[in-house]
Amino acid sequence: MSIKDSKLITFPKIHDKRGNLTFIENIEHFQSKIARVYYIYDVPGGSVRGGHAHKENHEILISVAGSFDVVLGDGHQRKKYTLNRPYIGLYVPPLIWRELENFSSGSVCLVVASLVYDEKDYFRDYNEYLNEID
Ligand code: T46
């Protein structure tokens, strides 16, 4: 897997004078249905989250409020995405190292995942990760 397999996805945005609405369904890269949704919030300034890769789990990261940066790596290349729109998601395939940083005050990171939580699905040690992908 390469960071070239990551990509930004623009979701539908229903404009309305009462406010806008975005929905996520039928995700191309998820073999079955969405298995899990979680969100990261109340992040203190300067905090860095992530620092791991998944073995099989596919994810889409969305900034539903505020902004933050996602730095992806595949052992060869790194790429930084800034997420700051609630209708744009970043697709992150398995075996891609991710770090989340530069969270703005009040930001919320919503994550849609293809698998339920399983600690065994993580590479949390960077050297172990590099050995696996070589
Ligand atoms: C990712 C980034 C964007 C659970 O019990 N269930 C869950 O679904 C998740 C995601 C986490 N946890 C537990 C596991 C840890 O004890 O919550 C604690 C914090 O998890 P972690 O340190 O992995 O959190 P982040 O923000 O570093 O990473 C998370 C996801 O784990 C990861 O898949 O891509 O958000």
Side-chain angles (χ1 to χ4, degrees):
M1 212 45 94
S2 143
I3 53 170
K4 294 193 182 103
D5 298 307
S6 66
K7 64 176 179 182
L8 293 171
I9 300 171
T10 301
F11 299 113
K13 181 178 178 186
I14 312 294
H15 294 269
D16 192 311
K17 61 186 178 193
R18 301 168 298 165
N20 298 327
L21 183 153
T22 286
F23 59 90
I24 302 169
E25 61 184 4
N26 299 328
I27 301 170
E28 178 190 344
H29 299 279
F30 287 30
Q31 283 101 343
S32 55
K33 296 196 182 304
I34 293 167
R36 177 168 52 117
V37 173
Y38 62 91
Y39 34 98
I40 299 165
Y41 53 97
D42 291 346
V43 180
S47 293
V48 177
R49 303 209 53 132
H52 51 249
H54 285 283
K55 297 176 183 174
E56 295 185 8
N57 185 38
H58 299 241
E59 292 193 327
I60 295 176
L61 280 55
I62 304 149
S63 176
V64 291
S67 68
F68 55 87
D69 294 336
V70 184
V71 182
L72 300 182
D74 58 12
H76 301 284
Q77 285 181 285
R78 287 162 69 83
K79 183 165 184 179
K80 180 154 94 174
Y81 291 90
T82 297
L83 298 182
N84 55 13
R85 298 278 183 273
Y87 55 87
I88 293 183
L90 173 62
Y91 167 66
V92 184
L95 300 178
I96 299 294
W97 196 264
R98 82 284 314 271
E99 284 167 10
L100 285 69
E101 59 189 26
N102 200 20
F103 286 88
S104 71
S105 174
S107 58
V108 180
C109 170
L110 180 81
V111 183
V112 179
S114 68
L115 297 176
V116 295
Y117 173 73
D118 180 359
E119 188 57 36
K120 293 192 289 299
D121 189 62
Y122 284 76
F123 288 110
R124 291 193 185 266
D125 180 273
Y126 192 61
N127 289 326
E128 186 195 345
Y129 164 71
L130 291 180
N131 286 338
E132 180 67 21
I133 58 173
D134 272 352

